[in-house]
Amino acid sequence: MRQPVLCPPVIAAAGKLDYFRASMTLTEKVLARAAGRAQVQAGENIWVKADILMTHDVCGPGTIGVFKREFGPNARVWDPKAIVIIPDHYIFTADSKSNRNVDILREFVKEQGIEYFYDVIDDPNGVWRFDPAKGMFRRQYGRRYAGVCHTALPEKGHTRPGEVLFGTDSHTCMAGAFNEFATGIGNTDAGFVMGTGRLLLKVPETMHFYLEGRLQPGVMAKDVILHIIGEIGFDGATYRAMQFDGPGVASLSMDDRMTIANMAIEAGAKNGIFPFDARTAEYVEARTRLNNTKRTYEPVELDKDQKFVYELVVDLSKLEPLVACHPDPGRRKKAKELGHIRLDRAYIGSCTGGKASDFVEAARILRGRKVVIDTFGVPATPEVVHELQTTFWGRDSVWDVLVNAGVQMTENASCAACLGGPVDTFGRINRPGIKCISATNRNFPGRMGDKQSEVYLASPATVAASALTGRITDPREFL
């Protein structure tokens, strides 16, 4: 196994990287610093200081309940500026209990003086009620609404290299793209963090994925992570860190890295993490400055003699469009080998596949053509909606290109059908036997609705190509 390519030393706003005494992996370095130690080893149990705690409308009320039960009804959170609350899951539904969850969050925010609450409505004293009479397609949210939490966190300037981010959602690991330790935790742990700012963790072993080369036309970051999960299995990284580095990382955009880190949990990983480089710095600096969030940070750098429990070289230039077949993300096959599978539905959206770059790649395939199956598009955030509607290719915006191709695009950015939701959720699969190809991240039975449906995971490009033919299709057929 070749040695990883080392990035040049970086001086961040917080100072020089001279804290550590021994060679460690990226994850070990972040956790050591958060524990106030010069060194940690895999398997150790350590108390870790949190930089950010994120929660949303599904787990937020439960977390608040645990916090009040354990710390008292009048307790105060450990740091109101370190808690980020983003309603995003069951938002655009007439289900009264789902609507009420958002109101519970709002009441808690007012009580605690929490600064970063991205409410669905503008009135801090109001109540949220989705109006089905207005339909699913036109926006029903206010100015501060941020959309899907994992995409919104970096957009709003809450992801910083070298930090520890806990979130009450398994795909919190997406923020590892920014050189931080980011992982999902349950409501009980989150309630404890909310009151103390600390959590007891076991340091995970690290698996090493050395990326080289660059992706070819028609191949996307989704194909990278589907390839890796196909190699190790959907439980192959259980409670391990997945470290992605090597010269191939330089060719990946921050969106690409987010897609890869997001699905680390689909292999059972505790977290995924990328090295810090100029692209990371540029993104973080722009977003923290724009949103007036904390701008200082201290990244962790690659050491020469890191210890890994597993190593895999991935040549990006040799990858092809892939599909994870029903019923789990580890069932990897090449798209070109699955043309016999007829489809009923296509779906582009979620934290994994609902970024602006994802829709742009889909639009390149769909431009001037028409889909032949029901195809749904759900942008991850309002910012993505705005970008697609204001970026023009000739006379048409990218949004127009998608709509003209027959994609049912909603302005109500959210998780939507990625995790099923109430029966009136946009794009939800409500009938048995439906076969759907989706740019989302998980395809266990019932994930997108009916338990008798089948979900095939693929890149936005592959989803778009398949929507044009009604069968699983390699997007290179349309390039």
Side-chain angles (χ1 to χ4, degrees), residues 405-449:
V407 181
Q408 300 176 56
M409 296 290 296
T410 178
E411 295 178 341
N412 291 314
S414 72
C415 298
C418 175
L419 73 163
V423 294
D424 61 345
T425 299
F426 185 76
R428 187 185 193 276
I429 301 174
N430 288 326
R431 291 187 291 113
I434 295 294
K435 292 183 178 181
C436 174
I437 189 163
S438 178
T440 54
N441 47 36
R442 190 167 288 168
N443 64 340
F444 298 124
R447 171 68 180 183
M448 294 185 70

Side-chain angles (χ1 to χ4, degrees), residues 185-248:
I185 58 177
N187 293 357
T188 303
D189 281 350
F192 184 82
V193 174
M194 190 173 276
T196 67
R198 302 172 67 212
L199 189 63
L200 182 66
L201 286 180
K202 183 174 75 172
V203 179
E205 297 173 315
T206 297
M207 303 175 74
H208 185 209
F209 301 91
Y210 184 82
L211 311 182
E212 58 186 13
R214 59 187 305 123
L215 297 174
Q216 298 301 301
V219 184
M220 299 183 66
K222 183 68 164 288
D223 299 304
V224 178
I225 191 61
L226 290 182
H227 168 74
I228 290 172
I229 297 172
E231 288 293 303
I232 65 177
F234 74 97
D235 58 353
T238 300
Y239 207 92
R240 289 176 169 177
M242 297 177 72
Q243 180 171 310
F244 308 95
D245 60 46

Side-chain angles (χ1 to χ4, degrees), residues 7-10 17 24-26 29 179 276 299-303:
C7 296
V10 177
L17 297 175
M24 289 181 285
T25 67
L26 295 178
K29 282 188 170 184
N179 186 239
F276 175 84
V300 289
E301 301 295 329
L302 293 167
D303 284 343

